[in-house]
């Protein structure tokens, strides 16, 4: 499967690219809905924003995202910013009155001795001293309680070789379609990929109204897919976690595909390993003990080439290695020498986030989405309680507790079913000899409990102000009419929805509750879409594909999106402010939008609500949709003049040898800032 010269290898890459693109998630998978919306927008004309360019942002400040409307009780919106116009172009845009500034880009130095970024001479050693690729989750941990001085926590989800390494990709025509082909990677390039994954911890400080890095900070740290970690909790040391390199079953190198995450009440960084299956290649014998388990997780998927250079990523050589990924990893950002811990008590899934809240009795509750079509919503309740004045004790809370999976009933009730060995069907007769088996095969255990199959559960956010929990469900175009249920009410769900959970008696540890749909997403003016935004929501205010979210200090919900399919919807991804209370409930307003092809990840807001940090991931992704953009400069023939902004965007990234370089220098330079924020094919997130 991973034959480095087999054309099928290229096809595999190409497929990834198509999955990465919004069109694949939406219109392609859902031709009926896509056609409806495309017709609508071709009549209206895609809303193209001006090509007024400023630097891409990491921070949105200084004004307050503030503006919390004190008249909320009177039924008006809790947000009073002037809504941004939706549109498509190569720049980013923020609502009037707010600033947007770059804070960090791929390759930026994190330490006083970091080498300068040079895309033509990348090495793993350099990358380990620089900001990693494809930033996703963002967390903020105040230092000394400050909203203007703290640690920024960042996940680096995945890499995209054809965009990282100049000259390895070319556009070819296959079956009448232009697609990208990528040359096999060298071991040195794989090492750069490994070093570009993981996480960054970096000290930041606001000086004269602008955030800056502190590059000589003792807190600064790069964690990679090769960093030594400990496996902790009930599954640690189990035979199924032992490998040739680790007879203890309790030590592992690295974390991969870390998507969203959370900051715990005690200030640690919890990071979710999501699409880990793509990093494993090779063949597992059909009668292997892990065959059923791996099939349920899609292992091995083989979209990365790491198995060609490292045996541990080849399941035919190291069959247990995949069991050591798919966990929530806890990192102590206050100690750059601390060993990250994979907390097995929280289960093994394709983890999106891990947002938490302290319940009334002091136990801590974590909400966890397993992001795949037809997968489940989980929560974890610690056995111990949070101590405000004993951080060291809190650092062990995640090794003991109860993991639950959700059943959303038709009558609006919710049951959290424990994934506890010995309870119900979770017995040796069904393949679960102990709690370690339940956790290593979390999905199989949840299947037996009859959990509700959801439309791609992503970020889940508890709201301490109103006692609710918000579940982002991105989409699921493979749900057929006969598979509809009350909690997933649309077939061919191209735009996703948001569920609001109310735990019984307002207790986040409750094993029951109720739920309702806050929003069905998509264009509400197209009846066939079946969206349910309030009538106050404008043509700019609706969105699709909710992915990450954040609740601010006033309990207001902000939602970011992944995969707007700009051709069909006339809008890029961005951040929308969503009212949840009173008459304004289900009203949404556009606050910030990203360059074409980008996904907006990790919105995070400082405690004073003066700054929103955002992760602009993979601008210009989906180059196969614009082959002239994807082509290396030497094979590019169309002249630049008169081209769309997105052409300029991609061109800028590769402009160093372009004949049009001089004329476009300023745009190219600007895009260089933006390009280094990340690109990529998308990992195989949308397998059923
Ligand atoms: Fe990495 Fe579910 O997004
Ligand atoms: Ca995500
Ligand atoms: Ca979040």
């Amino acid at each position: 499967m991973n034959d480095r010269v087999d054309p099928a290898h290229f096809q595999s890459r190409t497929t990834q690219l198509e999955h990465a693109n919004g069109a694949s998630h939406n219109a392609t998978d859902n031709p009926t809905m896509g056609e409806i919306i495309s017709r609508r927008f071709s009549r209206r004309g895609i809303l193209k924003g001006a090509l007024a360019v400023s630097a891409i942002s990491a921070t949105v400040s200084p004004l307050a995202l503030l503006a919390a409307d004190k008249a909320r009780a009177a039924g008006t919106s809790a947000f009073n910013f002037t809504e941004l116009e939706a549109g498509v172009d190569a720049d980013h845009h923020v609502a009037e009155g707010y600033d947007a500034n770059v804070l960090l880009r791929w390759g930026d130095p994190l330490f006083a001795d970091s080498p300068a970024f040079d895309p033509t001479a990348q090495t793993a050693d350099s990358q380990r001293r620089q900001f990693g690729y494809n930033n996703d989750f963002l967390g903020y941990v105040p230092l000394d309680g400050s909203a203007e001085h703290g640690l920024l926590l960042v996940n680096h989800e995945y890499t995209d070789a054809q965009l990282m390494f100049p000259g390895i990709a070319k556009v070819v025509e296959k079956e009448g379609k232009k697609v990208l082909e990528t040359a096999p990677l060298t071991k040195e390039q794989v090492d750069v990929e490994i070093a570009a994954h993981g996480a960054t911890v970096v000290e930041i400080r606001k000086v004269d109204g602008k955030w800056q890095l502190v590059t000589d900070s003792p807190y600064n740290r790069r964690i990679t897919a090769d960093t030594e970690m400990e496996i902790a909790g009930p599954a640690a040391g189990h035979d199924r976690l032992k490998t040739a390199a680790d007879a203890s079953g309790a030590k592992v190198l690295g974390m991969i595909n870390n998507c969203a995450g959370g900051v715990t009440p005690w200030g640690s960084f919890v990071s979710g390993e999501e699409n880990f299956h793509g990093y494993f290649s090779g063949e597992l014998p059909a009668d292997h003990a892990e065959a059923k388990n791996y099939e349920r997780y899609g292992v091995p998927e083989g979209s990365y080439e790491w198995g060609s250079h490292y045996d541990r990523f080849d399941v035919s050589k190291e069959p247990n290695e995949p069991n050591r990924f798919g966990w929530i990893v806890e990192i102590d950002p206050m100690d750059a020498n601390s060993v990250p811990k994979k907390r097995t008590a929280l289960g093994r899934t394709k983890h999106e986030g891990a947002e938490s809240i302290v319940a009334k009795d002091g136990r801590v509750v974590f909400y966890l989405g397993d992001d795949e079509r037809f997968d489940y919503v989980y929560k974890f309740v610690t056995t111990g309680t949070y101590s405000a004045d004993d951080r060291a004790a809190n650092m062990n809370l995640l090794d003991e507790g109860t993991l639950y999976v959700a059943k959303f009933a038709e009558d609006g009730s919710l049951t959290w079913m424990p994934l506890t060995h010995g309870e119900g069907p979770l017995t040796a007769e069904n393949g679960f000899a102990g709690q370690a088996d339940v956790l290593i095969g979390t999905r199989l255990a949840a299947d037996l409990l009859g959990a509700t199959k959801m439309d791609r559960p992503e970020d889940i956010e508890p709201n301490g102000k109103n006692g609710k929990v918000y579940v982002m469900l991105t989409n699921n175009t493979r749900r057929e009419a006969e598979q509809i249920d009350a909690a997933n009410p649309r077939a061919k769900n191209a735009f996703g929805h948001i569920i609001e959970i109310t735990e019984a008696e307002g207790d986040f540890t409750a094993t029951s509750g109720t739920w309702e749909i806050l929003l069905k997403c998509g264009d509400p003016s197209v009846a066939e879409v079946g969206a349910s935004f309030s009538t106050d929501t404008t043509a700019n205010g609706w969105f699709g594909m909710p992915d990450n979210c954040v609740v601010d200090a006033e309990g207001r919900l902000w939602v970011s999106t992944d995969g707007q399919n700009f051709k069909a919807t006339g809008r890029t991804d961005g951040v929308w402010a969503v009212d949840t209370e009173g008459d304004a409930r289900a009203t949404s307003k556009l606050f910030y939008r990203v360059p074409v092809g980008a996904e907006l990840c990790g919105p995070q807001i400082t405690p004073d609500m003066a700054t929103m940090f955002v992760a602009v991931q993979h601008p210009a992704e989906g180059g196969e949709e614009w082959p002239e953009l994807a082509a290396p400069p030497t094979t590019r023939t169309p002249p630049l003049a008169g081209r769309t902004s997105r052409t300029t965007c991609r061109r800028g990234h590769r402009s160093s040898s372009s004949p049009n370089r001089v004329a476009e220098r300023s745009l190219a330079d600007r895009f260089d800032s933006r390009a280094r924020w990340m690109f990529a094919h998308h990992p195989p997130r949308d397998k059923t």
Side-chain angles (χ1 to χ4, degrees):
M1 177 159 192
N2 223 20
D3 184 335
R4 296 174 58 203
V5 295
D6 185 343
H9 166 78
F10 296 126
Q11 185 57 45
S12 165
R13 283 270 180 193
T14 302
T15 302
Q16 294 300 305
L17 278 161
E18 287 172 356
H19 281 174
N21 186 275
S24 297
H25 278 294
N26 309 318
T28 303
D29 283 351
N30 182 20
T32 305
M33 193 68 74
E35 283 164 15
I36 291 165
I37 295 175
S38 292
R39 278 201 302 274
R40 175 180 182 79
F41 277 91
S42 61
R43 284 198 303 272
R44 186 187 288 174
I46 286 181
L47 305 167
K48 282 191 175 161
L51 185 60
V53 180
S54 60
I56 197 149
S57 107
T59 66
V60 179
S61 66
L63 278 198
L65 306 164
L66 329 159
D69 190 335
K70 303 304 179 195
R72 186 193 312 197
T76 55
S77 174
F79 304 95
N80 64 6
F81 63 85
T82 302
E83 184 171 44
L84 185 64
E85 185 178 358
V88 178
D89 61 46
D91 200 5
H92 70 147
H93 302 267
V94 67
E96 189 182 335
Y98 296 80
D99 293 331
N101 299 298
V102 174
L103 180 61
L104 269 166
R105 306 163 300 174
W106 168 44
D108 277 353
L110 294 171
F111 306 91
D113 65 350
S114 296
F117 180 66
D118 179 354
T120 65
Q122 299 177 57
T123 67
D125 281 346
S126 317
Q127 181 63 86
R128 278 191 282 268
R129 308 293 287 167
Q130 298 165 336
F131 194 58
Y133 207 82
N134 261 346
N135 46 190
D136 198 304
F137 172 79
L138 299 176
Y140 177 80
V141 174
L143 289 173
D144 302 323
S146 174
E148 300 194 342
H149 180 206
L151 302 181
L152 189 68
L153 318 177
V154 186
N155 275 345
H156 298 296
E157 187 183 18
Y158 60 103
T159 51
D160 178 50
Q162 61 266 48
L163 294 165
M164 286 178 82
F165 304 116
I168 69 163
K170 63 179 178 180
V171 176
V172 298
E173 194 149 325
K174 276 188 180 165
E175 297 169 1
K177 202 175 167 190
K178 287 185 175 169
V179 295
L180 275 179
E181 275 191 355
T182 311
L185 299 186
T186 63
K187 181 171 181 295
E188 289 69 29
Q189 287 168 326
V190 165
D191 287 340
V192 172
E193 286 195 315
I194 287 171
H197 277 69
T200 289
V201 176
V202 63
E203 183 178 342
I204 55 173
R205 183 193 293 276
K206 207 173 184 181
V207 179
D208 297 331
K210 269 198 168 182
W211 288 90
Q212 303 180 349
L213 255 57
V214 181
T215 49
D216 58 355
S217 167
Y219 299 110
N220 291 1
R221 181 174 193 185
R222 269 305 318 283
I223 289 162
T224 74
D226 216 16
T227 298
E228 188 168 307
M229 305 194 173
E230 186 180 319
I231 300 174
H238 193 276
D239 284 348
R240 295 172 67 187
L241 300 183
K242 292 176 181 169
T243 63
D246 173 34
S248 74
K251 280 187 173 18
V252 61
L253 293 180
M255 59 184 199
I256 46 179
N257 212 266
N258 293 72
C259 192
V263 178
T264 64
W266 52 96
S268 67
F269 175 9
V270 279
S271 177
E273 293 184 303
E274 193 190 27
N275 290 302
F276 63 89
H277 59 310
Y279 299 80
F280 295 93
S281 53
E283 299 237 353
L284 196 71
D287 60 353
H288 193 278
E290 296 295 343
K292 183 180 173 193
N293 176 34
Y294 286 4
E295 185 184 2
R296 184 64 178 82
Y297 289 86
V299 173
E301 194 274 346
S303 60
Y304 284 79
E305 298 175 52
W306 299 7
S308 299
H309 302 285
Y310 292 98
D311 286 354
R312 70 183 180 116
F313 293 109
D314 181 337
V315 296
S316 69
K317 296 171 180 164
E318 190 48 271
N320 281 351
E321 190 74 3
N323 279 337
R324 295 144 64 84
F325 295 86
W327 303 104
I328 293 291
V329 184
E330 185 175 23
I331 298 157
D332 182 358
M334 302 306 290
D335 177 1
N337 296 312
S338 60
V339 177
K341 294 185 169 70
K342 298 202 175 185
R343 299 294 189 182
T344 61
L346 282 73
R348 178 170 168 268
T349 69
K350 293 179 186 174
H351 281 291
E352 180 78 20
E355 302 284 5
S356 58
I357 192 160
V358 180
K360 290 173 185 170
D361 66 0
R363 288 183 290 164
V364 190
V365 183
F366 287 76
Y367 289 91
L368 309 159
D370 183 359
D371 181 11
E372 193 143 13
R373 291 166 174 159
F374 302 109
D375 259 292
Y376 308 134
V377 167
Y378 297 84
K379 81 173 176 184
F380 176 78
V381 181
T382 61
T383 299
T385 55
Y386 169 68
S387 310
D389 52 5
D390 189 351
R391 188 168 185 272
N394 297 329
M395 292 301 287
N396 291 318
L397 281 176
L398 293 186
D399 280 344
E400 204 179 328
T402 304
L403 181 65
Y404 298 91
V405 66
K407 186 176 221 166
F408 295 83
E410 298 287 313
D411 65 358
S413 65
L414 169 71
T415 306
W416 292 105
M417 303 178 292
L419 289 155
T420 303
H421 179 255
E423 290 192 21
L426 305 182
T427 59
E429 299 78 67
N430 288 321
F432 302 98
Q435 185 63 14
D437 288 326
V438 170
L439 296 170
I440 294 167
T442 299
R443 283 183 167 185
L444 293 170
D447 290 345
L448 282 185
L449 295 182
T452 305
K453 296 177 176 177
M454 308 300 287
D455 289 345
R456 290 188 57 200
E458 299 231 46
D459 217 352
I460 305 174
E461 198 92 16
N463 182 339
K465 289 281 184 189
N466 67 2
K468 313 280 187 185
V469 181
Y470 295 92
V471 184
M472 305 298 118
L473 297 152
T474 293
N475 59 21
N476 183 354
T477 52
R478 294 186 192 165
R479 186 176 292 275
E480 301 296 340
E482 62 273 19
Q483 296 173 302
I484 286 173
D485 58 39
N488 301 277
R490 289 188 287 185
K492 309 285 186 189
N493 180 7
F495 297 100
H497 54 288
I498 299 175
I499 285 179
E500 181 186 71
I501 291 172
T502 305
E503 302 279 26
E505 297 174 5
D507 178 359
F508 290 104
T509 70
T511 55
S512 64
T514 58
W515 63 270
E516 62 181 284
I517 290 179
L518 170 68
L519 270 180
K520 286 182 277 184
C521 304
D523 186 345
S525 71
V526 181
E528 296 92 327
V529 170
S532 64
F533 290 91
S534 83
T535 52
D536 287 344
T537 303
T538 73
N540 300 306
W542 67 266
F543 59 84
M545 300 80 162
D547 184 342
N548 295 133
C549 62
V550 65
V551 171
D552 69 23
E554 293 201 358
R556 298 176 304 170
L557 180 65
W558 302 78
V559 175
S560 69
T561 61
D562 173 15
Q564 290 284 358
N565 187 4
F566 73 92
K567 285 186 178 176
T569 65
R571 63 201 56 213
T572 61
D573 283 320
V575 181
W576 278 261
V578 180
D579 277 295
T580 56
E581 313 298 321
D583 291 346
R585 184 173 163 87
T587 302
S588 171
K589 284 169 70 176
L590 177 56
F591 178 69
Y592 173 80
R593 64 178 164 92
V594 293
V596 65
E599 168 184 350
L600 198 282
C601 302
Q604 190 61 250
I605 298 173
T606 50
D608 60 359
M609 294 199 298
T611 301
M612 175 185 282
F613 296 108
V614 295
V616 180
Q617 199 185 56
H618 60 68
E621 179 187 78
E624 76 282 11
E625 286 293 310
W626 323 302
E628 74 277 20
L629 312 182
T634 49
T635 61
R636 259 188 92 257
T637 50
L640 186 66
R643 301 208 70 79
T644 65
S645 55
R646 63 179 186 268
T647 301
T648 306
C649 172
R650 185 56 158 260
R651 175 187 166 67
H653 177 55
R654 299 174 182 276
S655 65
S656 59
S657 60
S658 162
N660 291 314
R661 176 165 59 95
V662 175
E664 283 304 310
R665 179 179 294 280
S666 63
L667 280 172
D669 289 347
R670 284 191 295 247
F671 184 61
D672 180 60
S673 299
R674 154 179 327 137
R676 287 201 278 144
W677 271 70
M678 318 299 150
F679 292 84
H681 76 275
H682 203 284
R685 53 158 35 158
D686 54 356
K687 292 182 74 173
T688 52

